[in-house]
Amino acid sequence: MKYLALSTLLFISSARDQNQWLNASQMSDKAMETGDVLYMVGALQRCVALQSLFGALVEKRAGEQEAGQTYGMMAHRNFANAYQINSMKEKSRGAGVSTVESFVEATIVVMEEASNQYGTLITENQARDGDLIGRVIEVDLKTCTALYEGMLK
């Protein structure tokens, strides 16, 4: 697991170093284009960050506790899905059973970066339009919901 967590972090760092931060829908599209499941893991990790952040904002600003909890539930499920995909990828590489701890460490790094990126978008959207949701966040929320619903089947 340490190997895959490290490769995931290197994959993420190289994209960030090239100033090409990809949001959830872009990562999902890359997964479909390339067949590389690490892009899907990245998309799901970004979904965890966005859904957690957005759920907290909906609860705090709109007082919609049920909607906030729904986003939280979807984030939890998307984390579990990312972990499952990551574990299958690791096994296909001949590694042993993956550890949750290593995956959590890698996911925290991604979530911090994604939360900062999404937080900046939300702040910019609110300043410009008076709304939390701009085009990127709207598309990513739809993508994350679709990934959640698609993986329930």
Side-chain angles (χ1 to χ4, degrees):
M1 179 57 192
K2 294 259 188 215
Y3 170 74
L4 191 55
L6 180 60
S7 66
T8 302
L9 287 173
L10 290 173
F11 172 76
I12 292 159
S13 327
S14 67
R16 187 175 47 220
D17 291 344
Q18 296 171 7
N19 199 23
Q20 296 177 357
W21 185 81
L22 301 175
N23 60 30
S25 60
Q26 291 169 320
M27 292 290 278
S28 177
D29 290 347
K30 283 275 192 190
M32 299 304 166
E33 290 168 15
T34 65
D36 186 345
V37 296
L38 286 181
Y39 281 113
M40 186 56 68
V41 170
L44 289 167
Q45 289 170 320
R46 284 158 176 73
C47 288
V48 172
L50 178 59
Q51 290 167 321
S52 298
L53 178 65
F54 203 74
L57 285 171
V58 166
E59 277 191 41
K60 184 177 179 181
R61 293 190 179 192
E64 296 181 25
Q65 188 171 3
E66 189 175 320
Q69 289 173 348
T70 298
Y71 281 113
M73 177 191 64
M74 288 191 295
H76 183 266
R77 184 78 228 142
N78 279 335
F79 174 84
N81 290 334
Y83 175 71
Q84 258 184 328
I85 293 168
N86 193 63
S87 294
M88 288 188 294
K89 177 72 171 183
E90 184 175 318
K91 286 178 186 175
S92 76
R93 289 182 173 174
V97 177
S98 55
T99 63
V100 174
E101 294 82 15
S102 296
F103 186 72
V104 168
E105 289 171 14
T107 299
I108 288 171
V109 171
V110 174
M111 285 183 63
E112 287 174 349
E113 175 69 16
S115 293
N116 288 335
Q117 294 287 343
Y118 286 124
T120 298
L121 287 172
I122 287 170
T123 301
E124 289 171 357
N125 293 337
Q126 193 166 26
R128 183 181 58 245
D129 306 325
D131 192 6
L132 297 176
I133 301 176
R135 178 85 175 117
V136 171
I137 292 183
E138 179 182 5
V139 169
D140 277 7
L141 285 171
K142 287 179 181 177
T143 297
C144 293
T145 299
L147 291 174
Y148 165 79
E149 290 172 350
M151 292 187 185
L152 283 179
K153 297 176 183 179

